[in-house]
Amino acid sequence: MFDRRKFLKVSAASASLAALSRNAFANTFDNVSKSPGFPIVISTWNFGVAANQEAWKTLSAGGRALDAVEAGVKIPEADMKNHTVGRAGYPDRNGHVTLDACIMDEHGNCGSVAAMENIAHPISVARLVMEKTPHIMLVGEGATQFAIEQGFKKEELLTPESEKAWKEWLKTAKYSPVMNIEHMPGSKYNHDTIGMLAIDAQGNISGACTTSGMAFKMHGRVGDSPIIGAGLYVDNEVGGATSTGVGEEVIRNVGSFLVVELMRRGYHPERACKEAVERIIKKKPEYSKTIQVGFLAINKKGEHGAYALQHGFEYAVCNSETQDLLIKGKSAYETSIG
Ligand code: ASP
């Protein structure tokens, strides 16, 4: 499947930290999408290609964006080779696979689960939290209990492969989880999230975000992905945004909400994502070469864009013209870490 991908090489913007603060909007945004219309679905990373194709089945049949994003992100959640999302996700340092997810619809309804164990599809539980409870977020045992009451199967999620990786990690067990940066030689993929945004034929926007979080994180750690406004935000008047990378920094800056609010002011999605990345680094310049954070956004017209701190970030796009497009996102720092 992946050999059919078309790669749209968006020229990467290279900018030093000094240049970043001097001229925040120096880059042109000439290669980014211009009103491709809808229906459309976009999602983070290369595993977004297969996820989008699943979402497209709903969108192309005139279905609702909310149904599309739920169906779409269930693909990487179920993928036994994907160790950063869903059932085969790497565990925390105590050996527990704990999953985070949230979903948001065109009416501003939202639902979320965090640090949930033993349930393979957290996005579907998040949707039921939204639809069947007076709450927005359920965590830990409460989330698992709710899922079981709703008919979900309780299962052990730690796969033999994930257990092996965890036992390997335990040999050194450094307190801080090592964060992967995609372009670093030898970097192990120990975090990454699927964030998906869709606009249906009616022009309504929904989003979903799901992850197993940072591999070998502290037990009970929750990242940005299940937090509305941080890992995901949708405003049907404006657009939607989602994030991937080190969640603590996204939470600190309420990243996805920030991106949507910038689009409300007229920023193109890519420019809004860039501003959000720069906000993070302005506060913590020491992280500029040691972590990865990326945002992905779509506006009401279907224009989309992304921006990451480190290069290597890519996102998948699916609409009536292309079902398997993978776009390289621009980034602030192009050089590898020494
Ligand atoms: N944002 C996720 C988290 O912090 C991880 C990732 O997307 O890389 O849990």
Side-chain angles (χ1 to χ4, degrees):
M1 177 188 67
F2 285 114
D3 56 350
R4 289 191 297 109
R5 276 188 222 146
K6 281 171 255 165
F7 283 82
L8 178 63
K9 300 239 177 205
V10 178
S11 62
S14 57
S16 67
L17 181 57
L20 272 176
S21 52
R22 221 174 32 240
N23 188 356
F25 304 119
N27 297 317
T28 56
F29 299 94
D30 49 347
N31 280 327
V32 295
S33 74
K34 295 189 176 57
S35 288
F38 40 82
I40 184 169
V41 55
I42 61 174
S43 57
T44 53
W45 304 114
N46 58 4
F47 45 70
V49 173
N52 283 356
Q53 286 168 344
E54 186 64 27
W56 185 247
K57 291 178 189 165
T58 300
L59 293 173
S60 59
R64 192 177 168 203
L66 182 72
D67 295 325
V69 295
E70 181 192 0
V73 303
K74 284 174 81 171
I75 298 297
E77 279 188 347
D79 183 353
M80 298 302 281
K81 292 200 175 68
N82 188 325
H83 297 301
T84 63
V85 177
R87 59 170 310 132
Y90 283 153
D92 64 19
R93 61 191 54 189
N94 296 5
H96 300 262
V97 179
T98 70
L99 303 180
D100 298 339
C102 73
I103 194 161
M104 192 161 188
D105 76 6
E106 71 272 24
H107 304 296
N109 298 317
C110 47
S112 162
V113 291
M116 184 176 70
E117 296 184 41
N118 301 114
I119 306 291
H121 282 297
I123 198 64
S124 298
V125 185
R127 180 167 178 175
L128 290 178
V129 172
M130 172 175 90
E131 292 177 341
K132 300 220 162 155
T133 82
H135 306 304
I136 287 176
M137 192 167 196
L138 293 178
V139 305
E141 275 178 34
T144 303
Q145 188 189 316
F146 170 73
I148 292 165
E149 284 162 11
Q150 294 298 318
F152 287 79
K153 196 171 128 205
K154 187 172 183 181
E155 42 190 325
E156 176 56 62
L157 300 182
L158 188 66
T159 65
E161 210 183 319
S162 298
E163 188 173 11
K164 198 169 155 227
W166 169 57
K167 290 200 166 139
E168 195 55 40
W169 178 84
L170 280 177
K171 286 181 190 163
T172 50
K174 289 196 186 124
Y175 181 73
S176 290
V178 177
M179 293 155 188
N180 65 263
I181 294 173
E182 287 65 28
H183 63 88
M184 276 180 74
S187 184
K188 287 186 182 162
Y189 284 65
N190 57 14
H191 62 97
D192 280 347
T193 294
I194 183 142
M196 177 178 280
L197 302 159
I199 309 181
D200 59 30
Q202 290 69 43
N204 288 322
I205 311 169
S206 290
C209 186
T210 175
T211 190
S212 52
M214 310 289 303
F216 320 128
K217 60 197 173 186
M218 289 178 73
H219 185 59
R221 181 265 187 189
V222 172
D224 57 323
S225 307
I227 298 178
I228 298 296
L232 177 73
Y233 196 69
V234 169
D235 184 320
N236 207 42
E237 286 182 0
V238 178
T242 188
S243 64
T244 184
V246 177
E248 281 72 6
E249 300 319 305
V250 178
I251 295 171
R252 211 190 297 285
N253 291 277
V254 200
S256 291
F257 181 73
L258 173 62
V259 171
V260 171
E261 289 307 301
L262 290 168
M263 290 195 293
R264 191 191 304 278
R265 286 204 237 149
Y267 285 45
H268 185 280
E270 184 182 302
R271 188 176 171 203
C273 293
K274 182 172 186 280
E275 167 79 9
V277 167
E278 288 169 358
R279 193 75 66 89
I280 287 170
I281 288 312
K282 198 172 169 197
K283 281 187 192 155
K284 301 261 174 198
E286 67 272 25
Y287 288 160
S288 62
K289 291 199 172 189
T290 56
I291 68 163
Q292 174 64 303
V293 172
F295 291 99
L296 173 64
I298 194 162
N299 66 18
K300 189 71 180 164
K301 291 187 274 186
E303 294 169 331
H304 46 84
Y307 200 86
L309 187 51
Q310 316 293 339
H311 78 77
F313 181 43
E314 51 196 359
Y315 71 99
V317 178
C318 176
N319 58 22
S320 58
E321 283 167 15
T322 175
Q323 269 83 65
D324 55 4
L325 181 64
L326 196 62
I327 295 183
K328 288 194 183 303
K330 288 185 184 176
S331 64
Y333 295 96
E334 299 302 320
T335 51
S336 68
I337 294 167

